[in-house]
Amino acid sequence: MGILKDHPELVLFLCLAAGYLLGKLRVGPLTLGGICGTLIVSLLIGAWTKVEISGDVKTIFFALFIFALGYMAGPQFFANLNRKSLRFFVLCGIEVVTVVAIALGLAKAFDLDVGTAAGILAGAATESAVVGTATESIGQLSGLTPEQISTYQGHVATAYTVCYLFGLITIVMYTSQIMPMLLRINLRDASRELWEKTRGTSGSLEADERESLPGLVGRTYLVTKADGSTVGALESGLENRITIESVKRGSTFLEPSPDLELTLSDLVLVVGRRANTIEAGREIGPETPGVPGLDSPLATSQVALTDKAVENITIDELQKAHPEFYKDGVYVTDLVRGDQHLPANGTTVVHRGDVVTLVGARSGLNKLAGRIGAAVKNDATDFIYLGLGIAVGSLIGQIVVKFGTVPMSLGTGGGCLISGLLFGWFRSRKQTFGAFPPQAATTIKDMGLAVFIACTGLVSGPQAWPLLKEYGALLPFAGIAMVLVPATLSLIVGRKLLKIEPPLLIGAIAGQQCSTPAITSVTQVAQSSVPMLGYTITYTLSNFLLPLTGPLLVGILGAGS
């Protein structure tokens, strides 16, 4: 016991290890997850050891978590601010208004303190970030003694733990099992039909899989039909959809200049999309096996589209606007928007900030990349940008605005969330600065939240048991009700009024709840990633809105007490 009290860092990391181990335990489709597991373990250890952790540790790690969360969501958040996504925003509005209203109603009906009400809100909404923003706001309330602040902050963690468990079970079972029955659909069949309707191909690969039929290919042909044709005439005759990269005549390799005339028995290397290279073979002659020395290396580069002229045009239009694509044999093989891969076909619409993968000869590729954007630099974290973003977020959080007699401030958490969104979006517009690699951002986000939750649990442990004895029956009920009510309202409004397709609607409801376990279970039942298309929109918006409900609820209840 003595070594634990003398070395809080030892207790902290033991909580992380044991908590994530507990979070891996699976019961059917359910796992607690590392964050909830960490909170349970830290509450138990905190009640036993009564170890003291500096409040500054919580503040710093929560700022890291919430900024990284906003940074990763920023590009997609602002990209979704359009009329097409407006109907999904209604679902997020239903979630926010409903959970705040229920939390306020329970607080008034059962005379709950501000900490318990905020914990119910955070747990039932399965949004860990609310724990941080609410805890921080409680610390800023005037008229409370340090002991009251500590007690109420402890109640946030305890109520969150119980409500989260019941809320998690409810949202997973409701979205994956019950909603398809209510909508009278087979989720697997409905997802497949919608995918074929909107995409025309199944196209979903696991992380360790590669296409067996890649779109961009190189083929070698023996000239039997194109005798006397020039390289330029052959390429233009095929609408510049292919390029001839190499020509071998006897034992000599020739430069494939546009005016080079092909002769009988030449061997040529044709590069392009599969259908176009096959068509080229019909004009040139029979295909041959690979010829040593004829192969021409192609360079690959990821380029962020920064040119204003590329906004809202298709890939076909982009290529027509820049003849260098055809002239130098450069091809678009992949398109990434945020963290989502989109099909790189001619009809796909691109936006500024999208990242395209270009493949072609190095000289042509480098020249073209400079015309449409900038090479993505994302190999090391730009700590200047990261530090400035968190500092700006902290300053935003100190701004106090009065609504009548109620003083409201976002706090460090809410401020860093907003700055993260803005800094992440600004970085996506011109990706030559402010690098924050996805793996690094994910690590900081997860580590920041885990340490914050562990600190909260350790400090709150002594207050846990008295609260459970007082409100034990209420907390499970609240966790279930605060999931079922907004989810059911969203199901009715989304289907009857907004006409959202069932697989997208189910995914969107999981997203409005910010529930990764729910969407994981839904996609497993659907055996498709289609529900993710609805999930990403509402998840991004709810990740911004739900953390702000913590200060809102605390401000309203604090003003009325």
Side-chain angles (χ1 to χ4, degrees):
M1 178 75 74
I3 191 174
L4 296 181
K5 279 196 171 184
D6 294 338
H7 296 277
E9 74 280 2
L10 174 61
V11 180
L12 183 62
F13 288 105
L14 279 176
C15 288
L16 293 186
Y20 270 79
L21 180 62
L22 177 63
K24 287 182 177 292
L25 297 181
R26 178 178 294 276
V27 179
L30 297 174
T31 57
L32 284 177
I35 297 303
C36 189
T38 297
L39 185 52
I40 292 173
V41 170
S42 61
L43 282 170
L44 294 175
I45 293 179
W48 174 49
T49 63
K50 295 181 172 59
V51 67
E52 295 183 3
I53 301 287
S54 171
D56 293 338
V57 175
K58 290 200 304 180
T59 301
I60 291 170
F61 276 91
F62 187 69
L64 288 171
F65 154 70
I66 206 77
F67 179 83
L69 177 68
Y71 184 97
M72 296 171 69
Q76 194 169 4
F77 174 79
F78 286 102
N80 286 327
L81 294 178
N82 54 56
R83 295 180 62 185
K84 185 178 179 181
S85 301
L86 189 60
R87 57 181 183 164
F88 291 98
F89 287 11
V90 175
L91 304 183
C92 295
I94 291 173
E95 175 74 23
V96 170
V97 172
T98 304
V99 296
V100 172
I102 293 176
L104 286 172
L106 291 174
K108 298 297 183 184
F110 295 93
D111 195 25
L112 302 179
D113 63 78
V114 63
T116 303
I120 289 174
L121 172 62
T126 62
E127 177 53 79
S128 305
V130 179
V131 177
T133 56
T135 300
E136 185 181 32
S137 296
I138 290 173
Q140 297 173 350
L141 287 177
S142 59
L144 297 180
T145 66
E147 291 75 16
Q148 287 177 310
I149 290 175
S150 177
T151 299
Y152 292 161
Q153 289 177 336
H155 289 178
V156 174
T158 304
Y160 165 82
T161 304
V162 178
C163 290
Y164 177 88
L165 178 60
F166 284 89
L168 173 65
I169 295 172
T170 303
I171 190 63
V172 170
M173 299 303 296
Y174 197 37
T175 53
S176 64
Q177 306 298 326
I178 299 175
M179 281 188 181
M181 290 191 293
L182 294 177
L183 293 171
R184 298 179 182 178
I185 62 168
N186 180 299
L187 186 56
R188 178 182 177 183
D189 293 342
S191 298
R192 183 184 298 110
E193 291 172 5
L194 183 58
W195 185 267
E196 291 173 352
K197 176 183 175 182
T198 57
R199 299 293 187 188
T201 177
S202 59
S204 180
L205 297 175
E206 298 295 332
D208 60 348
E209 294 178 332
R210 295 292 181 269
E211 293 176 324
S212 58
L213 291 173
L216 185 66
V217 298
R219 292 175 180 262
T220 55
Y221 295 103
L222 178 69
V223 175
T224 59
K225 299 179 181 179
D227 183 23
S229 297
T230 64
V231 168
L234 189 60
E235 290 177 342
S236 62
L238 293 165
E239 298 181 352
N240 290 311
R241 298 294 185 181
I242 56 94
T243 56
I244 295 177
E245 295 289 340
S246 302
V247 177
K248 184 179 182 182
R249 182 170 297 163
S251 60
T252 304
F253 292 92
L254 305 176
E255 178 69 24
S257 59
D259 56 353
L260 176 65
E261 187 175 300
L262 301 177
T263 63
L264 200 64
S265 298
D266 281 351
L267 290 169
V268 299
L269 170 64
V270 178
V271 174
R273 297 198 176 277
R274 181 177 303 279
N276 298 324
T277 58
I278 293 174
E279 183 181 354
R282 300 191 185 102
E283 302 293 328
I284 299 171
E287 185 175 2
T288 69
V291 179
L294 188 62
D295 195 9
S296 177
L298 299 177
T300 301
S301 178
Q302 286 191 312
V303 177
L305 300 178
T306 58
D307 183 10
K308 293 181 181 179
V310 308
E311 179 66 31
N312 217 29
I313 65 174
T314 65
I315 290 179
D316 272 346
E317 291 169 338
L318 174 67
Q319 292 173 326
K320 289 177 181 177
H322 296 274
E324 295 88 347
F325 274 104
Y326 302 132
K327 179 182 177 182
D328 297 322
V330 179
Y331 300 88
V332 179
T333 61
D334 191 24
L335 173 65
V336 179
R337 181 172 300 151
D339 57 356
Q340 300 295 314
H341 288 264
L342 303 178
N345 55 46
T347 58
T348 300
V349 176
V350 298
H351 301 286
R352 291 180 68 193
D354 287 352
V355 176
V356 295
T357 299
L358 302 182
V359 177
R362 189 175 302 278
S363 59
L365 188 149
N366 291 340
K367 182 170 58 177
L368 180 60
R371 293 181 182 273
I372 62 175
V376 173
K377 296 179 180 179
N378 213 20
D379 54 348
T381 301
D382 184 345
F383 283 98
I384 299 173
Y385 197 69
L386 176 63
L388 181 61
I390 296 176
V392 169
S394 181
L395 290 174
I396 292 174
Q398 308 313 309
I399 299 173
V400 177
V401 178
K402 284 193 174 183
F403 292 91
T405 60
V406 180
M408 294 287 296
S409 69
L410 294 174
T412 300
C416 285
L417 177 61
I418 291 177
S419 71
L421 286 168
L422 293 172
F423 274 62
W425 169 78
F426 190 62
R427 148 77 177 171
S428 73
R429 306 296 286 179
K430 190 173 181 66
Q431 303 194 35
T432 56
F433 59 89
F436 197 8
Q439 296 88 345
T442 300
T443 300
I444 286 181
K445 177 175 71 72
D446 294 345
M447 186 71 171
L449 180 59
V451 172
F452 168 80
I453 288 294
C455 292
T456 301
L458 288 170
V459 174
S460 306
Q463 290 88 30
W465 181 242
L467 183 72
L468 288 176
K469 286 197 299 183
E470 186 176 0
Y471 298 118
L474 173 65
L475 300 181
F477 166 77
I480 295 171
M482 290 182 67
V483 168
L484 288 180
V485 173
T488 303
L489 287 175
S490 294
L491 186 68
I492 296 171
V493 171
R495 194 70 191 118
K496 298 296 185 181
L497 300 181
L498 303 178
K499 308 298 182 183
I500 299 175
E501 296 81 355
L504 297 184
L505 178 58
I506 292 174
I509 291 173
Q512 77 180 44
Q513 192 82 18
C514 294
S515 180
T516 301
I519 192 60
T520 300
S521 183
V522 168
T523 53
Q524 287 175 348
V525 172
Q527 297 184 17
S528 168
S529 61
V530 164
M532 285 290 295
L533 299 175
Y535 174 83
T536 53
I537 299 174
T538 53
Y539 176 81
T540 303
L541 187 62
S542 286
N543 258 324
F544 168 65
L545 292 177
L546 284 176
L548 301 181
T549 62
L552 175 63
L553 181 69
V554 170
I556 294 174
L557 292 177
S561 60

